[in-house]
Amino acid sequence: MGVVTIAEAWPAVSRPFTVYDLDRMPDDGRRYELVDGVLFVSPAPASPHQLVVGALLYTLYQACPRGVRVLPGPGVRMSMETELIPDVVVARFEHIGGVRITEPPLLAVEVRSPSTALVDLNIKKAVYERFGIDAYWIVVPDVDKPELIAFELRDGRYEEVAHVAGDESFAASRPFPVDVMPSLLVAGLLPD
């Protein structure tokens, strides 16, 4: 597919967006996501955000069991009108391999940015819950008070199971046993 502009990728008729429209969006560094036919566009993640993502990937990778993979930001397609791009995904090996994941991952993680805070805590949380993603974490990469908020599905609804900050550790059992300390996730944002 050739390079297109947003105007060229925009649906020609007035209708909700679909994943086919999403596939036509330009590769311009922005993050294009779709929720119930509504397009969400966010800026490309900045370096501090990516450093936190890297630290979390490393932490999860160290504890990851056989048959499970930790991935940075694959698209997760929930339906023809909904596709999100979590910052980190933990999925069964058999559910990965293409451009996107179409089965519920074991864990989706969002590293909160000022521009995405409300979307991460409300819209994305509701979509992940509806799709049946077993665990959802939000990392708040504030150097002075880093936080991790963890939710797990209980009877089809997310329940907050942890809210830790700084040097407090979250001993996760889902998607697998792993200890996560918010201060270690933001350590790369501080000078040596």
Side-chain angles (χ1 to χ4, degrees):
M1 177 187 333
V3 175
V4 297
T5 65
I6 292 177
E8 292 168 327
W10 207 267
V13 294
S14 179
R15 62 168 171 74
F17 277 84
T18 68
V19 293
Y20 299 118
D21 300 315
L22 200 60
D23 288 342
R24 292 176 32 88
M25 290 297 149
D27 187 10
D28 59 4
R30 292 183 184 94
R31 185 170 282 188
Y32 294 92
E33 298 175 291
L34 194 59
V35 176
D36 297 329
V38 177
L39 182 67
F40 286 78
V41 182
S42 55
S47 295
H49 179 277
Q50 296 300 73
L51 285 167
V52 173
V53 167
L56 182 59
L57 286 168
Y58 180 77
T59 300
L60 291 170
Y61 178 78
Q62 295 295 326
C64 189
R66 293 177 54 87
V68 176
R69 299 296 187 267
V70 179
L71 303 154
V76 177
R77 182 170 289 173
M78 290 81 167
S79 72
M80 295 307 289
E81 295 81 30
T82 302
E83 183 173 319
L84 295 174
I85 306 171
D87 291 312
V88 175
V89 167
V90 174
R92 290 184 175 84
F93 177 75
E94 62 268 17
H95 294 162
I96 63 170
V99 174
R100 61 193 49 86
I101 295 172
T102 58
E103 296 294 324
L106 303 171
L107 170 68
V109 182
E110 297 291 349
V111 175
R112 194 170 85 181
S113 302
S115 63
T116 65
L118 291 175
V119 171
D120 292 347
L121 193 53
N122 295 299
I123 295 170
K124 287 190 174 187
K125 181 179 165 216
V127 171
Y128 294 151
E129 178 183 81
R130 184 174 69 202
F131 191 53
I133 297 175
D134 201 37
Y136 174 48
W137 299 353
I138 298 173
V139 175
V140 180
D142 181 327
V143 173
D144 296 323
K145 189 182 177 195
E147 299 175 61
L148 174 89
I149 307 162
F151 302 92
E152 293 179 359
L153 275 181
R154 305 265 164 87
D155 298 321
R157 306 285 301 169
Y158 276 139
E159 180 179 305
E160 186 176 306
V161 295
H163 190 154
V164 295
D167 291 333
E168 295 174 306
S169 185
F170 169 47
S173 59
R174 294 186 199 174
F176 45 76
V178 61
D179 290 323
V180 184
M181 186 180 299
S183 61
L184 294 178
L185 298 179
V186 300
L189 303 180
L190 299 168
D192 293 332

